[in-house]
Amino acid sequence: MITVNGDKAAWSPGMSVQDVLRARNFKFPLLVIKVDGALVQPRDYAATPVPDGAVVEVIHLMSGG
Amino acid sequence: MSHPESSTPIVRCEVDFTQRTEYHHGMEAIKAAHKLLAEATFTPTLPDKGYTNRTLYVNVGTREIMEKPVTQQMKDIFLGGRGFGLWHLWNAVTPATRWNDPANEIIISPGPVSGTTQYAGSGKSLVVTLSPQTDIPIDSNVGGYFGPLLKFSGFDALELQGKADQDVILFIDGQKGVIRIEAAPLEPVDSHVLAEVLTRMYAEDDADRVNISVVSTGAGADHSLIGMLNFSWWDHRRGCVRLKQAGRGGIGTVFRDKRIRALVCRGPVVKGGLNNPADPETIARTGIKFHKEMRANDDSQCKMRRNGTAHIVEIMDAYDLLPTHNFQYGSHPDTHRIASPVWQARCTQETVDGCWYGCSMACAKGADGLVLKTGPYKGHTVTVDGPEYENAAGLGSNSGVFDPDDLLELNFYCDTYGICTITWGTLTAFVMECYQRGILNLERTGGLDLTWGNAAADLEMMHQMARGEGFGLIAGQGIHKMKAIFEARGWGDPKLMADIGMECKGLEYSQYMSKESLAQQGGYALTNKGPQHDEAWLIFMDMVNKQLPTFEDKAEALYYFPLFRTWFGLNGFCKLPWNDVVPSDNASTSEPAKVPEHVQNYVDVFSATTGIRIDKDELIHQSAKVYNFQRIFNIRMGKGTRSFDIPPYRSVGPVTREEYESRAERYDKQMMEEIGVDPAGRTTDEKIAITRDHRMKRYNSLVDAVYLRRGWTPDGVPTLARIQELGLDAFPEVVEIVKNHGG
């Protein structure tokens, strides 16, 4: 299991940050993502692994009218 | 799935953006019918450090035209823009004044920074009046050239008071120093025609058109309480006028009640530095930094230059936040038909769309080549401004309309008739739900089949309103008054209508679902003017990020963000460049949601314009003066206390069985985990009642926390200590109001 924004979520071997975003349907482009407190750059979403038990913060900024 | 690194190619629109129906034939006859009613001269002056230090007062009833000085106290406490508007209005009206009294004013003020051409989004004006919908002050932030041209002609604000005995145009010539009130008996009524005619009429040659801005409304404002004002600018690439809207609260209705047909300002040729800022180098440096950021990051972030604010349609749908069928649901299978790729293809990309000079965000998209299918302009080819997100959601999903051309036609007629797209979207969603639930039927609507998604009936209701007839006339009164009309006629259950009528303080909600964000429920209902998202948009922070777990956390957000965003309207800034693009290193800052580098940009641009050194804390303090003054103004007008901050339940939780059952898993889980009640074996009605009781108690706890943080009493009145801290005790009537209400 992992924790995503305080919610428990299923973990699978080889899971990346991009997989987490896909699983949660997080489509917003202005994100600040940290895995166990470490900042992940947008270019690294696909390549950054999410280990079992990780705490993932996906902070959505604001936009719109 | 789209992620920041995956930039997509621009989809090109095939329409010739220079082709449209033109309306200037017969202009000479229209002009010849003008009759001069009053004239005054003035000395055009440019601002000094953002201020011209005088305002213009015009009474269209008595035809008095007068200059007034801007005092140091005005600048110290009210700053400009919305602050100046509220101060002038406060002095013009009494607690007994209503929107259609001659004493009511419309005030347009651009703010000290407005007109800056080096920093994006610095050309806004604020419009303030007593609202026909809410009976309290309304403020609306609008683009277009009028405000900056007014200031560069020599005035920090324009006050309009009185009622004319015939249709008039106010012309301010900032090049020649002449102000005229002219009778205008033959003018066209609707904005897209009127603005084009007047731009051509008052420009001295083709090149002069960019120096003209027209403020107008349309036929809808004559027959409704939801009229808005269109502020024009000349789009020299397209060769037509474009319109931006001061939309909320019925300002256009007040405008027509005064029998003002239009305001026309002819300003000087715009160039950088007309504000005569204290430190032009800092403004230039800050502006260039932002332009580079925009160029580097926009394509991988919000794509504002391609899509404008409509970029969030599909995002709102993905997070169950897109209002659908009168805010019952947050998503719809047909959303892809009105999503941003559709608008990117439909809006012209070969030109730059900025509603003021120098805006590198340039999000004022235009959909060209729309051939109208209905109404008085049937068959005409027009350019539609937008659709912005609010239009796509309000005129689209919230009413079940998913055909892009239908949506554009609704958008066009709202604009040219001079009615607020947000308000029309929300009120149409309400009447469509009333139709769904049998509160309305074919007989009661006079034959309008207001089933979800029936765009033809939606358009016909709007045309009826513009003609002043039929059910459209009732719709144009807005939800608050419609509920009373329906109840008086014995149509429907008043409690149900109170729950599903998405208005608070008399103003319709804008287009976001707040059911799953307690902070946003407060972000809407605790606003000064009514439920508009321009004070606080906290849904992601609260619902998705879980950054606001306690009442105190939410209260802090509902303290900071409304004050921060108020400041844009005091200065003439647009909100969008604040957080619709962010610096590349924003994620590594301590508070990324606030976009600290951009906050510092605003501090720097303000300080460099006015010569008044501030920091980010002083920025909040400046806003707090005006924000609390507006709250006290509401109290002065008989509202503004706790009982007026109660939202319709639809914005808090599920009203109907269908709503609950559509998200039963979510609500049942919350019942078990948050309320501590096992939903097993309970009927849907029982579960709705349990959820409602819990959510309303929670809302009231939020209100307690917010009032405490804002320095207000439990009834929502600013305390004497708070107004002393803000310097508002300089005004004896403010002190008296606060004391009389337990502050």
Side-chain angles (χ1 to χ4, degrees):
Chain A
M1 296 291 282
I2 58 173
T3 303
V4 181
N5 288 359
D7 297 333
K8 294 295 180 190
W11 176 83
S12 57
M15 182 178 250
S16 69
V17 167
Q18 184 141 315
D19 294 331
V20 172
L21 298 179
R22 188 176 293 114
R24 293 294 295 258
N25 202 27
F26 284 162
K27 293 187 172 180
F28 188 60
L30 296 181
L31 299 175
V32 177
I33 300 181
K34 293 180 180 177
V35 178
D36 291 329
L39 188 66
V40 182
Q41 295 297 334
R43 61 179 176 273
D44 299 328
Y45 288 170
T48 302
V50 176
D52 191 14
V55 174
V56 182
E57 298 168 73
V58 185
I59 303 303
H60 293 58
L61 304 183
M62 293 175 269
S63 72
Chain B
M1 187 172 199
S2 172
H3 282 308
E5 72 276 21
S6 59
S7 182
T8 51
I10 295 174
V11 180
R12 300 286 177 187
C13 177
E14 299 300 322
V15 173
D16 180 351
F17 67 87
T18 66
Q19 296 300 308
R20 66 189 54 76
T21 303
E22 295 190 344
Y23 298 100
H24 49 91
H25 310 294
M27 194 174 75
E28 290 308 315
I30 295 169
K31 185 177 181 181
H34 282 201
K35 180 183 170 190
L36 183 64
L37 302 177
E39 183 173 88
T41 59
F42 69 102
T43 304
T45 56
L46 290 171
D48 176 32
K49 301 182 182 66
Y51 289 101
T52 66
N53 295 309
R54 61 179 173 173
T55 62
L56 175 61
Y57 171 87
V58 176
N59 190 311
V60 294
T62 64
R63 299 173 189 169
E64 181 183 10
I65 301 171
M66 180 173 65
E67 292 180 17
K68 291 183 180 179
V70 171
T71 65
Q72 190 60 45
Q73 184 186 54
M74 281 174 68
K75 292 197 275 192
D76 290 345
I77 294 184
F78 300 102
L79 211 61
R82 172 172 155 191
F84 278 12
L86 289 165
W87 175 239
H88 283 306
L89 188 63
W90 174 279
N91 291 316
V93 304
T94 72
T97 306
R98 290 296 170 261
W99 70 273
N100 53 356
D101 289 331
N104 190 19
E105 290 193 346
I106 297 170
I107 303 103
I108 301 171
S109 178
V113 176
S114 185
T116 300
T117 59
Q118 293 91 344
Y119 196 82
S122 303
K124 292 291 197 117
S125 309
L126 268 289
V127 191
V128 173
T129 192
L130 282 184
S131 162
Q133 292 193 270
T134 66
D135 295 319
I136 55 177
I138 187 81
D139 57 272
S140 205
N141 185 325
V142 60
Y145 290 2
F146 187 88
L149 293 183
L150 174 74
K151 187 164 74 165
F152 296 148
S153 296
F155 301 106
D156 289 329
L158 168 63
E159 281 180 87
L160 297 163
Q161 197 175 38
K163 284 191 186 188
D165 57 4
Q166 57 195 309
D167 283 354
V168 297
I169 288 172
L170 175 68
F171 176 51
I172 302 163
D173 190 333
Q175 294 193 22
K176 294 181 176 174
V178 176
I179 299 164
R180 294 203 297 266
I181 302 174
E182 299 173 3
L186 299 182
E187 252 59 16
V189 173
D190 294 325
S191 272
H192 81 291
V193 183
L194 181 58
E196 178 180 329
V197 167
L198 296 183
T199 299
R200 291 172 183 268
M201 186 184 296
Y202 285 93
E204 297 204 340
D205 53 41
D206 291 357
D208 195 32
R209 288 176 193 159
V210 293
N211 305 318
I212 301 286
S213 180
V214 177
V215 177
S216 65
T217 183
D222 281 319
H223 303 295
S224 77
L225 299 181
I226 63 171
M228 60 74 172
L229 293 180
N230 285 298
F231 282 49
S232 79
W233 87 95
W234 180 255
D235 183 335
H236 66 92
R237 295 181 183 87
R238 283 184 170 86
C240 69
V241 292
R242 303 286 303 281
L243 304 172
K244 296 299 285 184
Q245 293 75 34
R248 306 308 322 268
I251 301 169
T253 301
V254 179
F255 193 79
R256 286 301 298 143
D257 185 66
K258 294 183 177 300
R259 297 202 65 177
I260 302 172
R261 182 56 76 195
L263 314 174
V264 181
C265 186
R266 177 170 180 256
V269 175
V270 173
K271 54 187 177 182
L274 290 188
N275 271 323
N276 286 313
D279 177 4
E281 290 77 18
T282 294
I283 295 174
R285 186 174 63 251
T286 310
I288 289 168
K289 182 178 66 167
F290 181 86
H291 295 328
K292 287 180 177 174
E293 177 191 321
M294 193 70 210
R295 191 164 55 244
N297 295 351
D298 183 50
D299 283 348
S300 61
Q301 294 183 359
C302 293
K303 301 182 178 67
M304 291 293 283
R305 294 174 299 177
R306 298 189 204 178
N307 301 331
T309 57
H311 79 90
I312 58 172
V313 172
E314 61 268 32
I315 292 167
M316 292 299 105
D317 185 87
Y319 290 80
D320 208 25
L321 295 170
L322 183 72
T324 303
H325 292 187
N326 194 29
F327 300 89
Q328 292 185 79
Y329 315 111
S331 61
H332 194 280
D334 288 337
T335 296
H336 65 95
R337 299 177 62 200
I338 58 168
S340 65
V342 175
W343 304 121
Q344 186 179 138
R346 192 65 189 76
C347 292
T348 298
Q349 302 291 340
E350 287 79 5
T351 184
V352 178
D353 294 295
C355 69
W356 178 241
Y357 297 91
C359 183
S360 47
M361 186 161 270
C363 65
K365 306 309 297 178
D368 297 291
L370 180 73
V371 180
L372 298 167
K373 295 178 290 191
T374 71
Y377 306 104
K378 182 178 179 179
H380 291 207
T381 301
V382 297
T383 292
V384 187
D385 286 272
E388 299 193 42
Y389 164 74
E390 298 289 335
N391 307 349
L395 304 174
S397 58
N398 217 2
S399 307
V401 173
F402 291 97
D403 181 285
D405 278 0
D406 285 342
L407 205 156
L408 282 174
E409 184 146 345
L410 285 161
N411 195 154
F412 170 80
Y413 273 113
C414 277
D415 287 352
T416 201
Y417 283 157
I419 59 170
C420 173
T421 50
I422 292 175
T423 301
W424 186 261
T426 299
L427 75 82
T428 301
F430 170 69
V431 297
M432 285 185 167
E433 185 169 356
C434 288
Y435 198 86
Q436 174 197 336
R437 301 191 185 284
I439 298 168
L440 295 174
N441 53 40
L442 275 179
E443 183 184 353
R444 291 172 180 175
T445 63
L448 291 176
D449 173 16
L450 293 169
T451 51
W452 298 112
N454 189 346
D458 190 350
L459 281 159
E460 178 52 26
M461 183 167 71
M462 197 186 300
H463 297 318
Q464 285 182 356
M465 180 210 55
R467 296 193 298 266
E469 64 184 41
F471 187 77
L473 200 55
I474 295 173
Q477 300 301 297
I479 292 173
H480 187 75
K481 291 191 168 55
M482 270 196 285
K483 289 189 296 188
I485 293 168
F486 295 173
E487 183 180 352
R489 294 181 181 185
W491 299 351
D493 175 4
K495 289 181 181 171
L496 175 64
M497 290 191 285
D499 282 348
I500 67 174
M502 288 291 283
E503 59 90 7
C504 182
K505 301 180 176 73
L507 188 71
E508 284 74 9
Y509 273 66
S510 67
Q511 309 299 335
Y512 297 98
M513 294 286 285
S514 55
K515 280 180 195 162
E516 300 312 314
S517 169
L518 175 58
Q520 188 58 34
Q521 292 160 26
Y524 270 134
L526 298 174
T527 47
N528 269 328
K529 67 183 168 200
Q532 171 76 352
H533 55 281
D534 65 350
E535 279 200 10
W537 197 93
L538 301 173
I539 300 178
F540 281 163
M541 284 186 83
D542 189 33
M543 181 186 99
V544 181
N545 303 343
K546 312 278 175 60
Q547 289 174 292
L548 309 172
T550 68
F551 290 116
E552 289 70 27
D553 293 328
K554 296 179 205 300
E556 184 60 32
L558 284 166
Y559 173 80
Y560 175 82
F561 286 103
L563 294 183
F564 178 68
R565 294 182 63 158
T566 290
W567 193 80
F568 293 133
L570 306 182
N571 281 291
F573 281 122
C574 172
K575 166 265 166 194
L576 296 171
W578 164 47
N579 65 357
D580 279 70
V581 66
V582 298
S584 300
D585 64 352
N586 185 60
S588 56
T589 61
S590 58
E591 294 182 287
K594 292 181 179 177
V595 197
E597 183 176 315
H598 287 182
V599 174
Q600 189 59 43
N601 287 353
Y602 290 117
V603 165
D604 291 343
V605 172
F606 174 85
S607 298
T609 301
T610 61
I612 303 165
R613 300 301 305 177
I614 64 165
D615 59 20
K616 62 181 182 179
D617 298 324
E618 177 60 19
L619 180 159
I620 296 298
H621 187 63
Q622 287 179 329
S623 281
K625 298 174 192 176
V626 177
Y627 193 87
N628 282 272
F629 181 81
Q630 188 167 354
R631 180 76 176 185
I632 294 163
F633 202 155
N634 287 352
I635 297 168
R636 184 195 194 207
M637 300 308 293
K639 297 191 173 180
T641 48
R642 186 169 187 134
S643 63
F644 297 96
D645 289 344
I646 305 300
Y649 187 63
R650 172 61 60 74
S651 79
V652 177
V655 173
T656 65
R657 291 174 191 164
E658 308 96 280
E659 279 173 89
Y660 191 99
E661 288 165 0
S662 74
R663 272 90 177 145
E665 185 182 356
R666 172 193 298 162
Y667 296 134
D668 284 354
K669 185 169 181 278
Q670 289 173 356
M671 190 172 294
M672 181 68 89
E673 295 179 357
E674 295 177 18
I675 309 176
V677 172
D678 187 349
R682 297 183 186 275
T683 67
T684 300
D685 286 348
E686 287 172 336
K687 292 192 286 189
I688 289 172
I690 292 166
T691 299
R692 181 172 187 146
D693 181 63
H694 169 71
R695 289 189 174 207
M696 287 311 298
K697 282 178 181 166
R698 202 176 59 166
Y699 177 79
N700 276 307
S701 296
L702 174 75
V703 174
D704 289 338
V706 172
Y707 285 177
L708 184 66
R709 178 64 186 91
R710 290 181 177 179
W712 297 356
T713 70
D715 196 32
V717 179
T719 63
L720 192 56
R722 181 63 172 144
I723 67 163
Q724 286 171 338
E725 187 178 66
L726 297 170
L728 296 176
D729 57 332
F731 308 112
E733 192 182 355
V734 167
V735 174
E736 186 184 343
I737 291 167
V738 166
K739 283 183 175 175
N740 288 344
H741 287 81

